[in-house]
Amino acid sequence: EFYENTFGFGNSNEITNKAHWYLGYTIVDKANFILGYMTEEMAENYAEFAAARAGALMVRAFGYMCLMEEYTPAIGSEGFDPKSELTGVPMYYTYNPGQTPKGRPTAEYCWNFIKKDLAEAAALAEDSIGFTFGRTNCEDLDAGVAYFLLARACILTRDWDGAINACNKIIAQVGEGKYGFIKPENWGGHNTGADMTGANIEVLPETNAFTCINVNPECILGFASNSL
């Protein structure tokens, strides 16, 4: 009860809720601002605008995913019906600080909107920025990022076919030598000390892919190459 009252997002703890609620909607707000300029029409005519629109769609979807994961039960949870009213989070599609506050639609509606955004982002990214790789590109919001987020959204909604298709798009790049996966020796910390009984423990952070980006080719923003 103490943990739920202190850290739970679904209760009335204003201090906890305010920060996380604002975080999600600040992300959405900034993305909507950009999307007001990076319209579908502009994206159709200019590759630079297509890449920018794709990135903004990814950011908006990410913001909504944060909110959905924190404030709604997981799809498949016992007793939870995603088609029930008021199970989602308020959805805003345009930048307008003075607009009337929205109500909460169904969780199903929210997840469908998120996946629609990510599907468009993935298509735009593939046709413009593509799948970038390498340390100098590790901040790109590219097609790899779009498909990663889409795969996550599909998993969270138990859309297994959608998750497989999105993951296959990323895995296909491995065959082209662009991306790699974390090596087994870099799956977390490992004792490399001479005495394995514990008297001489040596766990180096630079060999742990989760503490050192140089050995993490799966780095989400760009999927940095194994060769760098």
Side-chain angles (χ1 to χ4, degrees):
E1 290 182 3
F2 171 79
Y3 182 89
E4 177 61 29
N5 288 330
T6 305
F7 302 106
F9 301 120
N11 60 52
S12 59
N13 186 322
E14 181 180 353
I15 296 176
T16 300
N17 275 301
K18 195 171 185 178
H20 289 270
W21 191 262
Y22 279 12
L23 172 63
Y25 281 109
T26 296
I27 294 172
V28 170
D29 188 58
K30 300 302 182 183
N32 278 337
F33 180 83
I34 299 300
L35 288 168
Y37 293 95
M38 306 302 165
T39 63
E40 291 183 51
E41 181 181 2
M42 295 296 289
E44 289 176 359
N45 296 312
Y46 303 96
E48 294 84 356
F49 285 96
R53 179 174 174 80
L57 287 168
M58 292 180 222
V59 170
R60 181 167 71 179
F62 177 74
Y64 278 132
M65 286 172 69
C66 289
L67 290 164
M68 289 295 290
E69 289 183 48
E70 292 180 350
Y71 290 100
T72 67
I75 301 296
S77 297
E78 184 177 356
F80 177 64
D81 180 6
K83 296 182 179 181
S84 297
E85 294 296 324
L86 307 178
T87 52
V89 297
M91 306 292 285
Y92 296 90
Y93 318 108
T94 58
Y95 176 78
N96 179 3
Q99 64 186 297
T100 303
K102 305 288 187 181
R104 299 184 69 163
T106 67
E108 181 181 60
Y109 175 87
C110 294
W111 280 117
N112 286 341
F113 181 85
I114 290 168
K115 290 195 285 188
K116 181 176 178 293
D117 261 7
L118 291 172
E120 181 187 349
L124 287 172
E126 279 207 80
D127 291 339
S128 55
I129 189 172
F131 291 87
T132 62
F133 66 102
R135 189 64 58 205
T136 57
N137 306 101
C138 68
E139 293 183 358
D140 286 345
L141 291 173
D142 68 352
V145 177
Y147 282 116
F148 176 90
L149 292 173
L150 181 56
R152 181 178 178 83
C154 288
I155 290 171
L156 290 170
T157 55
R158 299 196 170 196
D159 176 6
W160 309 127
D161 289 339
I164 290 170
N165 291 335
C167 289
N168 280 340
K169 284 284 190 176
I170 299 171
I171 293 172
Q173 301 303 310
V174 177
E176 297 182 12
K178 291 184 178 181
Y179 303 151
F181 294 111
I182 297 174
K183 297 177 180 179
E185 57 265 32
N186 300 128
W187 292 348
H190 297 278
N191 183 8
T192 58
D195 183 357
M196 302 304 287
T197 64
N200 183 24
I201 296 177
E202 182 181 70
V203 181
L204 303 177
E206 58 266 32
T207 64
N208 182 350
F210 301 102
T211 58
C212 182
I213 195 172
N214 289 327
V215 291
N216 186 350
E218 296 181 34
C219 174
I220 177 56
L221 295 182
F223 289 83
S225 172
N226 255 335
S227 63
L228 298 177

